[in-house]
Amino acid sequence: MRKKLLLTLAIVACFAIGATVAQAKTLTLGLKGEPTSLDPHFHNVSANNMQALYIFDKLIRQDNRQKLQPGLAVSWTPVSDKIWEFKLRKGVKFHDGSPFTAEDVKFTLERIPNVPNSPSSFTGFVSTIKNIDIVDANTIRFTTEQPSPLLPRQLAAFTIISKKNAEGASTADFNSGKAAIGTGPYSLVKWDRGDKITYKRNDAYWGEKLPWDEIVVRPITNDGTRVAALKSGDVDLINFVPPADVKHLEKDSKIHLSESPSTRLIYLHLDSDRDDSPTVTGNNGEKIKNPLKDPRVRKAISKAINRKAIAARIMDGLAVPASQMVPDGYEGTSTRLMPEAYDPKGAKKLLAKAGYPDGFKIIIHGPNDRYVNDSDIAQAVAQMLTKIGIKTEVSTMPKSVYFGRASKLEFSLMLLGWATDTGEQSNCLASLLHTYDAEKGFGSANRGRYSNELLDSTLEEALVTVDNDKHNNLIIKATEIGIGETGIVPIHYQVNVWGMKKGLDYNGRTDGYTIPREIVSGK
Amino acid sequence: MADINEVKQPDFNSVQGDGVLPVKEESLLVQSLKEYFESKTAAIGLIILTVMIVVALLAPYISPQNPYDLMSIDIMDSKLEPGSKTMDESTTFVLGTDSQGRDMLSSILYGLRISLGVGVLSTVIALIIGSIIGLWASFIGGRTDSFIMRVVDLQLSFPAILVALILLAVLGKGIDKIILSLVIVQWAYYARAIRSNVLVERRKEYVEAAKCLGLPQRRIMFGHVLPNCTPELIVISTVKVAGAIALEATLSFLGLGMPITEPSLGLLIANGYKYMQSGYYWISFYPGVALLILIVSINLVGDRLRDVLNPRLKK
Amino acid sequence: MLAFLIRRISQSVMVLLVMSVLVFVGVFYIGNPIDILIAPDATPAEYARAVKELGLDKPMLDQYWIFLKDAVHGDLGNSFVYNEPALKLILQRMPATMELAVTAMLMAVFIGIPLGMLAGIKHDTMLGRSIMRFSILGFSLPTFWVGLMFIILFSVQLGWLPSGGRGTTVELLGVPVSFLTWDGIQHLILPAMNLALFKTSLAIRLSRAGVQENLQMDYVKFAKAKGLSNTRIIGLHVMKNIMIPVITVLGMEFGGLIAFAVVTETIFSWPGMGKLVIDSIGVLDRPVIVAYLLITVTMFIIINLLVDIIYSILDPRVRLGDHN
């Protein structure tokens, strides 16, 4: 009996060792977030959208600077004001060998609004489409309600699934792998929830050459543990290296770092609409009329913030002071806007002009588990505002409580972040600065309820202007209005850092994704 | 964090505390003190603890800086090594600064104050509530008594951290909420300890005598029975304070405890945690050391008190 | 006995019910999970759709009633985040937590009891005092801090052991376990040590106290008088006498290990149910939070019940029923 047990143990051990030897061409990634599902249309959140790219492909890819590139579609052209025609790639096969056709695209688009229990769906990306016409197996036309210049951007937001394998499939079928059959570079082997996701190479992939046989994704939420896993060699590459760790990792001869700016903007929203703001009081605690309604006070707050100091001291250099909502070089960004210079004297003058020579009291609210160093940034802002006379208290809370309260307008001054997944500025204008309008779907994240009619009409015009240059000029105009009145106070764009073993290289992406087919094995 | 006393102690500890005689209290006190100081470790523990309490109480007067006055800190001083000076060379940061440019020494002194405050306050409230309920239950007896004791047993059978987790998930963050959860987690120990003591005391002659004299029951309870339970309560609550401090630190670490405006030692550790490997070790390390010394010294004192006040282990 | 069992079970059901109400109401008032889960640029219409889809638009009482009805049929609801049955998610993670807790318990028993006995026998020596100091440290050090130090020392500085995760698992009777592969064992050591530290100190103190007490008892004196060797007295007679209470206490503490695994799992990214519940609290995934608590509390109730029954069998002086 005992011998038998020993024998079994020995065999098991051999298998385990054998397995590690055979995994020579495995790439192990230690990533911050775990997807909530492998159903690519269940939850619109970056961890899921990123994992979807391992198994599936998009019609239009976003390159590492979020410019549009051909994916499953090789070209897209407006046939008329309201009709877009997409030519699909020929000869692409799903993991099960079945061919990819226009039927799959149509199926995907029709499934999107009907994913049951989705906590955040992709419906918004397809809601402008009125009609889908399959011209032939490789050509498809979309008719929109209104001229829709952003349609290619919207169709670059999600991946295409297989009609044959996913018809009638539930979210659970994707998680188990049954329906997770895509055209992408890797196919799913197994998802051990909370521990790892294992993929194997799709040898029939239509795109780049893939150096690894197997990809293992390990979700490691804790920053310190993730860095430790890289240093101890448990994983080959990690994302979101915490800024504070960059300096000592740079000194490590076994580790290579790469950094990339991101579209993640950190900004302040200010209650610019109500007369009576919840957390503003006079210097003696008495009720006062909301000073944040005055654009001069908002400007003073912007001037009081030492963006360079925050970038250098709080973010360890891994932040770029922000002038607007999307970094320079993106479509629809203004070249005339500069990050507000640190000018505490000017700020005090502006405050005095607005009738607050001695400042007032306010509470700044912020999350403490959402953005890189979020509560530290909130505290630093409080420090800087206090120094120009606005006595600021800090209150930070977990995101589970924070966002709900922020949306209920319980705060006067709040720290928030915004990542422009579409890679152009109209998205944040519509959500952050356009007047709140539940019916039309504008201003959904305008928690300061900033409002400017000219901005609204300019933006709305841009959204139906298909001509690219005209569209961009309108967007720039709207941006300059909003930032000119300090509708929000941009602070910085995060810089993301990836850490990897020497011998690997990764260019990094502005959307922060870690995509194995873009990782280079330099030997 | 759980501690030794929350265990249902079978057999060899079940009758502790019944040997304290109601007479000759003062000589007993002196005797106990003498005996306490026979252990050098325990004596050192007591001295360190006393120093820490004094320092915590005097924090606003002896800290080099008020770390929560935003006017007096500067972000440009952030993450300075221990021993660094401000730009104008006016102040030295003995233990370095954190990411906001706060003096770590001052933060630790203030943090110590909050940690100790939360620990002691929650323990005292729990002690009072637990004792009253325990006394009341044992004197009323009958169904009320057995009902209360069932509740106590139930609560004691759950690990403190689980109860606190539930409570804080339900209540949200805040210093008042964490004290409330710590009280709820702790009261049952005292209720049970008091009750088992009272059951023993009640059968003693002096209670009988008091009853014969016609003293009101309340007076017997508070005037005679309660004082005789004090030694054991002291032992339990000393250890409990340490447990409460450690539990609060753990909860803060898990992101469920203190708000950032009132950082306890636990929160200081949690805040510095992300810098632990990055060379800015002092932001987390020194608060960790302070927490450690605090808890160890309390436990040393509690441990010795148990030995001194529990006559069964005396030879 | 039967009456006792019936009473205990009905009490337990009450406890579960009260707890579910508390947690349900609490999480309901903290916030709406959609606020965190939804894409920030979602329109109000999309927001309303998501709220309706997850049934969060109904009054709280209705939601609780639906939960209760389903719970009676063994369905604790679908996770808001994962859209899979909460019960299934937790049961998937349970083996990992159990493996960690059992390993930690074994460590506590096999390290703690011998050390404690040693400290009891040699209580006036350097060794005995050192063991006791270690045990004071052991239950003073907050678990999270020790875990952190372990990672920095053993994985980053020395590079001996992996810093987190579960490593290679193999199936044993259909349950994935990691202690059968070398890789798995390596991953298990640090978190198990971290979790075991506190219970080891407890085992040390309990067995020391037990040894000291037993050494003063008459049977030991008789045995000595009879000329039995010290090793035999302690190794056999004393050991036998202290094992029952020590093991009983540790058995009751097993529930505590599972609860404390929350901390260890968070630090070592151990894919157990404790980590799941912390993540779920972060996003207000109510079905998972409620299901986790119901399952763990049920486990405690069962453990306590078993301990009480076994105790009454071992020690006839203890009667089942109200403690009086």
Side-chain angles (χ1 to χ4, degrees):
Chain A
M1 180 62 206
R2 202 182 209 161
K3 261 189 187 158
K4 216 171 178 181
L5 186 71
L6 274 178
L7 194 70
T8 331
L9 276 179
I11 292 171
V12 171
C14 285
F15 268 114
I17 293 163
T20 41
V21 173
Q23 285 168 5
K25 288 221 116 188
T26 297
L27 179 75
T28 308
L29 308 173
L31 304 184
K32 186 170 173 110
E34 183 174 25
T36 60
S37 167
L38 291 180
D39 179 342
H41 310 131
F42 171 64
H43 190 180
N44 179 14
V45 63
S46 70
N48 290 29
N49 296 346
M50 174 173 92
Q51 286 302 319
L53 293 176
Y54 290 38
I55 306 175
F56 305 96
D57 281 308
K58 291 174 172 175
L59 279 181
I60 302 175
R61 279 182 178 181
Q62 293 187 1
D63 69 9
N64 70 347
R65 291 294 170 265
Q66 284 172 273
K67 293 223 161 59
L68 300 185
Q69 304 290 349
L72 288 177
V74 284
S75 69
W76 50 95
T77 35
V79 182
S80 73
D81 241 15
K82 296 183 185 177
I83 298 177
W84 282 86
E85 183 176 280
F86 280 59
K87 286 272 181 211
L88 305 180
R89 195 176 291 276
K90 287 177 188 160
V92 176
K93 287 200 162 54
F94 283 100
H95 297 153
D96 65 342
S98 59
F100 157 74
T101 68
E103 286 291 341
D104 298 305
V105 178
K106 186 164 191 252
F107 170 72
T108 301
L109 265 72
E110 282 168 355
R111 178 179 189 258
I112 280 176
N114 299 309
V115 182
N117 297 335
S118 162
S120 175
S121 78
F122 290 76
T123 313
F125 297 114
V126 296
S127 55
T128 48
I129 298 174
K130 204 168 67 185
N131 266 317
I132 305 171
D133 299 302
I134 297 178
V135 180
D136 60 52
N138 298 302
T139 314
I140 194 164
R141 282 185 174 192
F142 305 107
T143 313
T144 55
E145 301 257 0
Q146 278 179 330
S148 182
L150 293 175
L151 190 74
R153 287 265 166 213
Q154 288 165 340
L155 295 185
F158 54 85
T159 55
I160 304 297
I161 57 175
S162 150
K163 181 179 182 185
K164 181 183 154 215
N165 292 292
E167 202 149 33
S170 67
T171 305
D173 291 331
F174 280 90
N175 296 342
S176 71
K178 205 175 115 200
I181 310 285
T183 58
Y186 298 93
S187 61
L188 178 71
V189 177
K190 193 164 176 259
W191 182 13
D192 299 307
R193 236 182 241 278
D195 192 23
K196 57 180 184 290
I197 313 176
T198 315
Y199 300 98
K200 79 171 193 288
R201 179 171 55 197
N202 170 13
D203 288 319
Y205 188 53
W206 58 268
E208 307 68 348
K209 274 226 149 38
L210 307 165
W212 288 279
D213 301 318
E214 195 181 63
I215 304 285
V216 175
V217 172
R218 276 189 45 197
I220 311 177
T221 334
N222 187 300
D223 285 341
T225 318
R226 200 165 59 252
V227 172
L230 175 68
K231 287 178 81 173
S232 61
D234 294 344
V235 298
D236 300 314
L237 183 141
I238 60 170
N239 63 354
F240 299 114
V241 174
D245 284 292
V246 167
K247 237 178 255 158
H248 83 274
L249 286 177
E250 272 171 349
K251 286 184 209 137
D252 193 322
S253 61
K254 287 179 294 188
I255 285 168
H256 168 68
L257 297 180
S258 79
E259 55 177 71
S260 158
S262 78
T263 51
R264 167 72 69 195
L265 167 77
I266 300 296
Y267 67 96
L268 301 176
H269 232 139
L270 319 92
D271 184 357
S272 356
D273 179 46
R274 290 174 287 183
D275 277 334
D276 183 12
S277 196
T279 69
V280 182
T281 55
N283 282 325
N284 303 313
E286 74 278 12
K287 264 209 161 2
I288 54 168
K289 188 175 166 269
N290 178 10
L292 301 174
K293 274 185 87 170
D294 189 330
R296 288 171 299 187
V297 175
R298 301 202 294 263
K299 188 65 133 194
I301 287 177
S302 188
K303 278 180 184 298
I305 292 171
N306 189 346
R307 291 174 178 75
K308 281 184 188 148
I310 291 178
R313 310 302 307 195
I314 303 275
M315 301 297 290
D316 287 87
L318 291 172
V320 180
S323 60
Q324 45 201 308
M325 289 156 289
V326 179
D328 299 346
Y330 278 81
E331 283 192 42
T333 50
S334 161
T335 47
R336 284 181 290 268
L337 292 174
M338 290 292 146
E340 191 78 56
Y342 175 51
D343 178 11
K345 276 186 199 139
K348 272 190 186 164
K349 261 185 220 153
L350 266 177
L351 272 186
K353 243 189 233 166
Y356 302 96
D358 301 317
F360 48 90
K361 277 188 180 170
I362 198 166
I363 300 177
I364 179 171
H365 284 89
N368 58 17
D369 55 356
R370 180 63 189 86
Y371 314 113
V372 177
N373 294 335
D374 41 17
S375 71
D376 284 324
I377 301 168
Q379 290 181 71
V381 168
Q383 199 184 108
M384 290 160 180
L385 295 186
T386 304
K387 283 176 181 154
I388 63 158
I390 303 176
K391 278 75 91 200
T392 311
E393 248 183 77
V394 188
S395 173
T396 62
M397 54 196 83
K399 58 177 187 283
S400 53
V401 184
Y402 179 73
F403 287 101
R405 291 185 59 189
S407 297
K408 278 186 218 133
L409 309 183
E410 290 181 21
F411 306 142
S412 300
L413 176 62
M414 57 213 123
L415 180 89
L416 288 154
W418 189 267
T420 308
D421 294 330
T422 53
E424 47 77 58
Q425 193 135 268
S426 77
N427 163 276
C428 22
L429 278 170
S431 298
L432 300 182
L433 286 173
H434 189 289
T435 308
Y436 179 75
D437 184 338
E439 234 162 80
K440 284 200 246 167
F442 282 118
S444 55
N446 186 349
R447 298 183 173 106
R449 293 292 188 264
Y450 167 79
S451 170
N452 181 304
E453 272 174 37
L454 186 58
L455 186 152
D456 296 352
S457 59
T458 315
L459 175 64
E460 281 169 47
E461 191 189 338
L463 291 179
V464 291
T465 306
V466 178
D467 181 286
N468 208 29
D469 288 341
K470 272 192 203 155
H471 170 84
N472 282 345
N473 283 333
L474 287 166
I475 293 292
I476 291 170
K477 188 180 159 200
T479 306
E480 286 170 354
I481 298 168
I483 297 295
E485 286 199 322
T486 326
I488 62 164
V489 177
I491 299 179
H492 61 237
Y493 309 111
Q494 283 175 15
V495 173
N496 290 327
V497 181
W498 285 261
M500 61 211 87
K501 281 186 178 158
K502 269 267 155 65
L504 298 179
D505 200 13
Y506 187 59
N507 267 333
R509 295 179 57 92
T510 48
D511 53 16
Y513 290 1
T514 307
I515 299 179
R517 64 177 154 77
E518 293 176 2
I519 299 172
V520 189
S521 159
K523 264 276 146 58
Chain B
M1 185 171 289
D3 78 75
I4 251 62
N5 264 342
E6 76 190 38
V7 174
K8 288 181 191 166
Q9 303 211 358
D11 257 349
F12 44 75
N13 265 343
S14 53
V15 241
Q16 51 177 223
D18 61 341
V20 181
L21 298 171
V23 282
K24 287 195 288 181
E25 255 179 48
E26 210 173 296
S27 65
L28 193 71
L29 186 70
V30 175
Q31 206 184 319
S32 303
L33 272 177
K34 263 191 202 151
E35 202 184 327
Y36 180 94
F37 281 100
E38 274 170 24
S39 161
K40 234 187 275 168
T41 329
I44 295 171
L46 186 61
I47 292 168
I48 294 177
L49 182 59
T50 316
V51 170
M52 288 191 110
I53 293 172
V54 171
V55 160
L57 287 174
L58 297 179
Y61 307 101
I62 56 173
S63 310
Q65 185 191 62
N66 175 357
Y68 306 110
D69 172 15
L70 293 176
M71 287 304 276
S72 70
I73 61 174
D74 195 316
I75 189 178
M76 296 317 283
D77 293 329
S78 72
K79 297 179 204 154
L80 294 178
E81 270 181 52
S84 313
K85 286 185 160 71
T86 37
M87 276 183 295
D88 55 2
E89 307 246 315
S90 60
T91 345
T92 310
F93 301 112
V94 182
L95 296 182
T97 60
D98 71 0
S99 58
Q100 295 293 320
R102 273 189 285 258
D103 176 35
M104 278 320 292
L105 177 63
S106 312
S107 298
I108 290 172
L109 295 180
Y110 274 77
L112 194 63
R113 190 177 157 89
I114 288 167
S115 281
L116 257 174
V118 168
V120 171
L121 195 64
S122 63
T123 307
V124 168
I125 297 176
L127 175 69
I128 294 171
I129 294 177
S131 309
I132 291 175
I133 293 179
L135 268 179
W136 180 61
S138 51
F139 268 87
I140 283 191
R143 281 183 161 254
T144 326
D145 180 36
S146 67
F147 173 76
I148 290 175
M149 282 305 119
R150 282 314 302 159
V151 175
V152 166
D153 280 348
L154 258 174
Q155 171 145 15
L156 288 184
S157 62
F158 296 126
I161 185 157
L162 187 69
V163 178
L165 263 176
I166 301 175
L167 285 169
L168 288 175
V170 169
L171 297 171
K173 269 187 158 190
I175 194 162
D176 45 340
K177 279 146 197 153
I178 202 151
I179 291 178
L180 181 64
S181 338
L182 291 176
V183 169
I184 294 177
V185 163
Q186 290 187 68
W187 71 273
Y189 302 110
Y190 303 107
R192 173 189 278 177
I194 278 267
R195 186 174 167 280
S196 60
N197 267 292
V198 168
L199 289 182
V200 175
E201 293 293 320
R202 236 165 40 154
R203 285 186 224 114
K204 293 203 173 149
E205 283 127 22
Y206 75 97
V207 176
E208 292 295 328
K211 271 188 187 161
C212 289
L213 285 174
L215 290 181
Q217 191 159 37
R218 202 186 309 149
R219 180 133 174 236
I220 302 178
M221 271 161 61
F222 289 97
H224 297 271
V225 176
L226 190 58
N228 279 301
C229 303
T230 339
E232 182 169 1
L233 288 181
I234 291 174
V235 173
I236 300 183
S237 46
T238 318
V239 184
K240 281 287 151 211
V241 171
I245 291 172
L247 182 57
E248 180 275 310
T250 306
L251 292 168
S252 291
F253 175 78
L254 289 176
L256 297 164
M258 290 296 205
I260 196 148
T261 41
E262 291 145 305
S264 61
L265 289 177
L267 193 61
L268 288 176
I269 297 172
N271 283 343
Y273 171 57
K274 59 183 175 205
Y275 302 116
M276 206 57 213
Q277 307 171 38
S278 13
Y280 308 121
Y281 67 91
W282 58 88
I283 303 178
S284 187
F285 184 71
Y286 291 122
V289 171
L291 179 70
L292 211 72
I293 298 177
L294 178 64
I295 298 178
V296 171
S297 61
I298 297 177
N299 277 329
L300 283 174
V301 171
D303 219 43
R304 187 66 191 155
L305 280 180
R306 191 208 316 271
D307 286 351
V308 173
L309 296 176
N310 183 353
R312 284 197 85 218
L313 287 177
K314 279 185 204 165
K315 279 154 224 158
Chain C
M1 180 78 176
L2 191 67
F4 164 76
L5 270 180
I6 291 171
R7 195 164 60 235
R8 270 302 266 282
I9 289 170
S10 58
Q11 274 169 356
S12 308
V13 171
M14 275 306 289
V15 170
L16 290 174
L17 211 63
V18 168
M19 196 200 62
S20 71
V21 172
L22 236 158
V23 176
F24 214 90
V25 175
V27 178
F28 186 87
Y29 277 107
I30 289 179
N32 185 339
I34 297 297
D35 288 325
I36 317 155
L37 296 175
I38 204 157
D41 52 355
T43 59
E46 159 67 5
Y47 183 91
R49 182 206 59 77
V51 168
K52 192 159 186 282
E53 196 113 315
L54 296 185
L56 293 165
D57 55 334
K58 298 193 181 77
M60 190 182 64
L61 224 58
D62 292 10
Q63 291 187 40
Y64 184 72
W65 181 238
I66 293 170
F67 160 79
L68 216 54
K69 271 199 299 199
D70 290 345
V72 173
H73 297 110
D75 172 11
L76 296 178
N78 267 19
S79 154
F80 295 152
V81 179
Y82 301 104
N83 196 26
E84 293 206 36
L87 196 61
K88 178 182 155 199
L89 288 168
I90 289 166
L91 292 179
Q92 268 178 355
R93 305 275 192 116
M94 200 186 256
T97 301
M98 283 303 178
E99 184 174 19
L100 185 62
V102 170
T103 313
M105 187 52 90
L106 292 177
M107 281 183 174
V109 168
F110 286 107
I111 299 171
I113 296 182
L115 280 181
M117 290 180 66
L118 203 61
I121 299 159
K122 313 209 169 206
H123 61 98
D124 270 337
T125 65
M126 193 58 199
L127 180 70
R129 276 198 291 268
S130 307
I131 292 175
M132 286 321 283
R133 276 189 205 128
F134 166 78
S135 88
I136 289 197
L137 265 186
F139 75 88
S140 299
L141 294 166
T143 309
F144 70 91
W145 170 257
V146 179
L148 202 59
M149 293 298 135
F150 277 1
I151 291 181
I152 288 176
L153 183 65
F154 293 110
S155 359
V156 178
Q157 296 297 329
L158 299 171
W160 292 350
L161 292 165
S163 54
R166 201 178 171 197
T168 320
T169 54
V170 287
E171 302 233 324
L172 182 73
L173 307 174
V175 178
V177 292
S178 45
F179 72 92
L180 289 179
T181 68
W182 177 231
D183 181 53
I185 292 174
Q186 284 182 316
H187 280 84
L188 188 56
I189 294 175
L190 283 188
M193 254 168 51
N194 183 217
L195 192 58
L197 188 66
F198 185 81
K199 302 299 169 207
T200 310
S201 310
L202 183 67
I204 290 179
R205 316 192 114 231
L206 288 173
S207 35
R208 172 183 174 261
V211 165
Q212 281 194 321
E213 189 153 291
N214 274 282
L215 283 181
Q216 291 173 31
M217 289 201 176
D218 293 340
Y219 78 92
V220 174
K221 288 176 189 158
F222 282 133
K224 272 189 183 160
K226 241 176 92 183
L228 286 184
S229 75
N230 249 347
T231 341
R232 194 173 158 80
I233 297 175
I234 288 162
L236 197 70
H237 299 287
V238 174
M239 178 94 147
K240 207 167 65 192
N241 271 314
I242 65 163
M243 278 308 252
I244 294 175
V246 171
I247 299 273
T248 317
V249 173
L250 288 178
M252 277 188 288
E253 288 286 293
F254 188 72
L257 273 181
I258 291 171
F260 248 94
V262 171
V263 181
T264 302
E265 286 175 8
T266 308
I267 295 167
F268 289 94
S269 319
W270 186 263
M273 51 185 193
K275 187 160 184 316
L276 177 69
V277 80
I278 283 288
D279 293 345
S280 300
I281 291 176
V283 290
L284 299 178
D285 195 350
R286 190 180 64 207
V288 177
I289 304 174
V290 175
Y292 170 85
L293 292 172
L294 286 179
I295 289 177
T296 39
V297 169
T298 310
M299 252 160 40
F300 294 141
I301 290 175
I302 293 173
I303 293 175
N304 285 326
L305 189 64
L306 287 180
V307 167
D308 279 358
I309 292 174
I310 294 173
Y311 217 67
S312 77
I313 295 170
L314 287 179
D315 189 346
R317 282 173 303 172
V318 177
R319 270 192 307 128
L320 289 176
D322 298 327
H323 294 246
N324 260 328

